[in-house]
Amino acid sequence: MKIGVLVKQVASGESPLRIDTSGKWVVEESIDFTTNESDSYALEEALQIIERSGGAGEVVVISMCPAERTPKIIREALAKGGHRAIHIQEEAPYETDPFMVASIFAEALKDESFDLILSGLQSDDLGSGQTGVILGELLGMSTATLVMGVELQKGKLRVKRELESGWFQWVTLPFPACITIQSGLNQPRYPSLKGIMGAKKKEIKSIAKSDVKGSGTPMQEFSRMYTHKAEKRTEMIEGSTDQIVDRMIDIFKKNIKVI
Amino acid sequence: MEVSHHVPAVLYLFALIAVVIFIYNLRRFLAIRIGKSDPDYKIKIIPAIFNLFYFGILQRRVFRKSFSYASIMHFFIGFGFFILLFATTVDFFVARGWFVSYLPHLDTPWFALLNDTGGMMALIGILMALFRRHINKPKSLPQDAFKGRGNLFGDSGVLLYILLLIFGGFLSEAARLAVDVQSSIAQYSWVGYRISFLFSSETWSALEPYLWWSHALLSFLAIAFLPNTKIFHAIISTINIALTDRDLRGKVKPMFVSKLMEDPDMDVDEISLGSTKLEDFTWKQLLDSIACTECGRCTNVCPAYNTDKPLSPMKIITDIRHELYGKYLNKKEVNGIVGNPITETELWSCTTCGACMEECPVLINHIPTFTDMRRYLVLSEGKPHPQAAESLEKTMNTGNPWGFSKSERTKWAKDAGIELPLMSEKKEADVLYWVGCAGSYDPRNQKVAKAMVKILEAANIDYAVLGNEESCTGDSARRLGEEYLFETMALQNIETLNKYKFNRIITPCPHCFHTIGNEYGDFDGNYKVQHHSQFIMELIDSGKLKLNKYLDSKITYHDACYLGRHNGEYQAPRKVISSVLKNGKLIEMERNKANSFCCGGGGGNMWYDIEDGERINSVRFQEAIDTGVDIVATACSFCTIMMDDALKVKGKEDSMQVLDIAEMVATAL
Ligand SMILES: Cc1cc2nc3c(=O)[nH]c(=O)nc-3n(C[C@H](O)[C@H](O)[C@H](O)COP(=O)(O)OP(=O)(O)OC[C@H]3O[C@@H](n4cnc5c(N)ncnc54)[C@H](O)[C@@H]3O)c2cc1C
Ligand code: SF4
Ligand code: SF4
């Protein structure tokens, strides 16, 4: 089985976010980059699928990012057991439209003929959750999103999808398939030093984004980026118990939207 | 005791056979050849002689906690046998007419007295031991008294055998006294002499040859099989004691991973990282395992064991021996011992507190051996404790185990309106203040960091911090066996430190103190490092810091393992505390200084929970509660967090406080 895994480098959750002068991106200097969370689970699932099917096959790690910062996460994915990698190198301004991202991947990967492509459910930075599905459609693969479990059947793939309110759905897909993985379905492994040493000899194929002719035109663009404002506000509620409770429920519903 | 001056020639034959079998059985000692050579190990003659005398012959560690049952018991057995050995040797010489003019013999009153006293001591000791193994039964000792781990007949089998030997000895002595002359000297053999009255001299003389021969043969048998039994420790543990380099106590060996990675000939599949196969351990580590006396002292003091975690340091050490003998003597196939019989949870339960090593009477170095097995799990298998994996990954990505942003390392100061002098701007300072990850990011320890700044300013110290250039020292990573991450952090920090000029580094964290001060040297990072307790004490002593004695409370000090046991600093924090006491009082917990009980946060345990049993910090905090104090003083970032957590768990927020010594000093300014 030949499996492709999309891994994206994103800002770690604790990174301080400041908007840069263009107003459309964040200041990268103060950011600690790390592998997108659900992508780590996708990689682990891919490695486990190969292990479960007796070790035959290949896991190809695919990422698009600037030349200088992605190698760290690619190497980490190879250290964990990925067999080789494809790095599409891009310069700022970065591709933010999921349709464009998917088209570029589709173009770059079409000759690989993957049996299976796994992506994370959504990226922790932009969080639109579409890249995987669009890529699957562009490559003519069967697709499923929000996958919580994967079973290999004879020539088929059976996946468990997460629905709302704790409901799940089992779907059977024919190969080739492209599925997006939800965090938490496995325990991503830690890169061993042996793995890290071995990764140095593994192939990382670099392609310039400009050399890949994406088929689409951007369907969305960033006009402006904002960071959330943290704010402390105090309101003293007075009145009868009923009035206080009513006002509190009102605040919970309308202002902080927790009920 | 037993002595005959007429030695039949056939006895020499038996003696020879016994010695040959003894030598054959000694071959188990050679099992340590399976181990790796250790190029860093150099035998140091003077310390070896000192160890041999102090820890070997005087058995200093056995009597560490002065009069415990076990130490008295061992004193009787050990010294009883020393005396008997001495007496038998002297008598052997005398019987042959060698050096007679220099030696006492059995007709010398004090010698006769000493001889029987030795026998009696051994007898009492053996009875005490049997009582301990069968009635008292401490749970840290091997529970099946007749099965030793790699020792023939276990503990009790050997004890009973020795009992037989001692009885036999006294009886043949009695026979000799009854048959030979009843001289005025005889009464000095005070045990045999009294026994000699049990029968008539005719009966004794009939019994004498049987008694004598059976005693001689039993003694030869004992000699022949000594190496197979627990008594082997008298030889092998003594050798181990002499060979242990106490300067390397607890020191984990650098692996020089970055050099390894640059080596073009390195074969990833062949290389062994960490230890699981017996061949992965050094000969000294294997010798440690053979030398273990199964006394259970290490396990008795182990914080993990005492809170019902699945760890007994003795079990791990003897597991290694068991597998080693299995492989060497019985040709058992041993592929790896991590996993089975030594489980991952056992290894992760260790807080590297060093209590076991402090306690071990035969100077076994547990921590480096345990760390090597953790290294195997992490570096070869990629299997750190799952919760620890998270903080290791965070350390790799952000330079701190909490995963906060590298660029916000000094936010604590900015938020408090403190202008920290930065090394990157000053380039030179007397003191480099190493804040540490906890001081930088953990809200509780940020208070300590602020107190430190207040102290530095008050004493007018020329200081600076590294700010965002500072990274985790890699302490947790190293204890967790993640040597690659440790080295990455260490090399990066050393490069940064070497850019600047300073006289010393001070830090409030004993883990940073230990790692930078004792371990960076292997990577050419040589600095003078002081713990804040030492630094503050110096400021007080030199009059640079004037303190108001303000504290009226009762206070206890919790020793940090990496300040106390690992670095021998017990006084400085206590002196600092005393200098702020007005009417207050420093009360020691039951376990203090070298016997202190860990907070549970060391060895990477800060970053994961072992589910089993009680929390270590709760147990320790209860001890503080029992002293009836108002304040628990700490001098370690992890201890402060752990003790503070325990304070909350125990619901003592209103009546007690956990304070770092720097916080107390800052209040006294
Ligand atoms: C169940 C569900 C409910 C939702 N509900 C709402 C809602 O109520 N309201 C709302 O506003 N939104 C909601 N969303 C989110 C919304 O649907 C998303 O905007 C959308 O799904 C698109 O995500 P995306 O294209 O940005 O994903 P992407 O950011 O494209 O990421 C998806 C994956 O593609 C791969 N990938 C992407 N870029 C790269 C790259 N450069 N290199 C390598 N790999 C890459 C990674 O594997 C990544 O994990 C919901 C989403 C889901 C799944
Ligand atoms: S170092 Fe401490 S926790 Fe670890 S085995 Fe020894 S006594 Fe137990
Ligand atoms: S390791 Fe040391 S303290 Fe522990 S049982 Fe063995 S000899 Fe005793």
Side-chain angles (χ1 to χ4, degrees), chain B residues 562-574:
Chain B
Y562 276 83
L563 185 62
R565 266 191 295 267
H566 287 291
N567 285 289
E569 185 58 87
Y570 302 110
Q571 286 320 313
R574 286 179 169 78

Side-chain angles (χ1 to χ4, degrees), chain B residues 432-496:
Chain B
L432 188 147
Y433 167 32
W434 186 278
V435 185
C437 300
S440 305
Y441 298 109
D442 168 59
R444 180 64 191 84
N445 281 291
Q446 285 172 349
K447 292 187 190 159
V448 181
K450 284 175 217 160
M452 276 309 292
V453 171
K454 204 169 155 198
I455 294 167
L456 288 160
E457 304 275 348
N460 231 338
I461 302 293
D462 167 32
Y463 79 101
V465 301
L466 287 178
N468 292 347
E469 288 186 295
E470 189 186 285
S471 257
C472 175
T473 57
D475 162 72
S476 287
R478 184 165 233 203
R479 305 314 140 210
L480 286 170
E482 203 347 339
E483 187 71 1
Y484 175 59
L485 177 57
F486 161 73
E487 217 183 286
T488 310
M489 294 293 127
L491 294 176
Q492 189 179 315
N493 281 325
I494 291 167
E495 196 185 313
T496 311

